[in-house]
Amino acid sequence: MTQIVSLIGARGTNAVTVELIDSLKNAWGGADVKWLAAGEASEFAVVERPGNRWEVWSDLQTLGVDLIVQPEEGRRKMMLLADMDSTMIQQECIDELAAEAGVGERVAAITAAAMNGELDFDGALRERVGLLKGLPESVIDEVLDKRITLMPGGQELVATMKANGAYAALVSGGFTAFTEAIAEKLGFDENRANTLISKDGLLTGDVGMPILGKQAKVDALEEITARLGISESDVLAVGDGANDLGMLKRAGTGVALHAKPSVAAQCDVRVNFGDLTALLYLQGYARDAFSNC
């Protein structure tokens, strides 16, 4: 089966050079190089997956270049299934709320351990939300306005895939108060997340049940593909934490984006340098084919 070899670097670094891509193409007996973005992304086809690809991947990491090898057939997907925190946005929402509540360091440490798979997700979420008890509900809007920033490339990713007929779903272990705002801003078709409970304008320290964690993301994959009448192989999933692994392994293409090391190690497709537009390059979209809104 024909494989596509993609080299992707961070925007503006010119890490992907003509010499680099030509050298790899010649070593692997590849077809003609196709440039998707000058200095940033290029690809070529090979007859079969190279046996030393992970050794080459490791070498290219030192140059700031991501290497992905995947089957050519079916690489352009009909659905985007995305995590939110540290994926579509650059922060962890609960950590930002905790900073406002004065328990930022404690909550951030729990978040990091949970995303590395060192703690049970449900228990870690309850513990962190409990520390937010008494925080004014109005702080959520303040955090959204002042602390939350979009991950670069997210708008192009969602807009381009939707312009080409794909469906976009945002599924988070975070909170609906954030996913609803981010989904609307980026153009997602639907969003799912946990619910923060409040009373008299204050957070109670409780989270709505059932908690949406790792299994909920797999459930979303199954339910939405069935509803759309498409296959799981038609899905591009992206995330960074341990609770994303279920959907990343089930989707046709599961991308570990700037992921925790323990997560990346379990995924074939790893993007450590590129932004979210790397997910378009993986599907063969050139930069001049991106949609910006």
Side-chain angles (χ1 to χ4, degrees):
M1 180 184 294
T2 300
Q3 304 282 313
I4 296 295
V5 177
S6 302
L7 268 64
I8 302 171
R11 194 180 305 191
T13 61
N14 292 314
V16 182
T17 64
V18 172
E19 294 78 15
L20 179 62
I21 190 74
D22 283 348
S23 173
L24 187 58
K25 182 201 75 167
N26 293 333
W28 282 351
D32 291 343
V33 170
K34 178 181 179 181
W35 283 93
L36 304 176
E40 185 179 349
S42 62
E43 65 180 35
F44 61 86
V46 292
V47 176
E48 58 185 15
R49 182 171 293 185
N52 65 335
R53 67 176 178 130
W54 287 117
E55 290 84 354
V56 175
W57 174 87
S58 182
D59 290 340
L60 292 180
Q61 288 287 289
T62 65
L63 302 176
V65 175
D66 291 314
L67 168 69
I68 296 95
V69 183
Q70 62 177 325
E72 180 179 33
E73 184 177 351
R75 65 172 173 145
R76 188 162 290 191
K77 303 304 184 183
M78 293 305 297
M79 175 177 158
L80 171 66
L81 182 61
D83 173 46
M84 180 180 68
D85 296 276
S86 298
T87 300
M88 298 308 300
I89 61 174
Q90 294 181 297
Q91 296 78 24
E92 295 283 336
C93 288
I94 194 166
D95 292 358
E96 302 305 318
L97 287 174
E100 293 289 339
V103 290
E105 290 187 5
R106 184 174 175 186
V107 167
I110 299 171
T111 299
M115 291 303 97
N116 271 318
E118 299 165 11
L119 296 175
D120 170 69
F121 180 83
D122 290 14
L125 185 65
R126 288 194 193 94
E127 181 179 0
R128 288 176 291 166
V129 172
L131 293 170
L132 302 179
K133 183 176 182 179
L135 190 68
E137 193 176 12
S138 60
V139 169
I140 293 173
D141 288 336
E142 294 178 18
V143 167
L144 272 166
D145 289 340
K146 299 176 182 178
R147 289 180 172 267
I148 302 302
T149 54
L150 299 176
M151 189 70 74
Q155 291 177 307
E156 293 98 324
L157 171 63
V158 176
T160 303
M161 289 190 67
K162 288 186 64 176
N164 286 273
Y167 187 86
L170 185 65
V171 183
S172 172
F175 309 110
T176 55
F178 292 92
T179 59
E180 288 170 359
I182 299 303
E184 181 177 3
K185 184 174 292 188
L186 291 176
F188 279 90
D189 294 294
E190 70 173 90
N191 69 93
R192 303 182 183 190
N194 292 296
T195 303
L196 286 170
I197 306 300
S198 62
K199 183 178 181 180
D200 299 327
L202 301 176
L203 297 184
T204 64
D206 298 315
V207 61
M209 301 297 290
I211 289 176
L212 275 69
K214 182 177 181 178
Q215 185 57 44
K217 299 192 177 193
V218 174
D219 292 344
L221 174 65
E222 295 176 348
E223 293 165 9
I224 299 171
T225 53
R227 189 176 77 225
L228 297 176
I230 62 175
S231 160
E232 292 181 8
S233 64
D234 295 319
V235 178
L236 173 69
V238 58
D240 73 301
N243 65 323
D244 297 315
L245 278 169
M247 71 173 185
L248 294 180
K249 291 180 177 181
R250 286 279 292 272
T253 300
V255 181
L257 180 81
H258 304 168
K260 312 303 183 284
S262 60
V263 176
Q266 299 181 60
C267 298
D268 272 355
V269 182
R270 310 169 189 174
V271 174
N272 293 324
F273 301 106
D275 59 25
L276 283 164
T277 58
L279 278 64
L280 293 172
Y281 296 138
L282 289 177
Q283 298 177 77
Y285 290 102
R287 177 163 289 280
D288 60 13
F290 290 2
S291 298
N292 294 313
C293 59

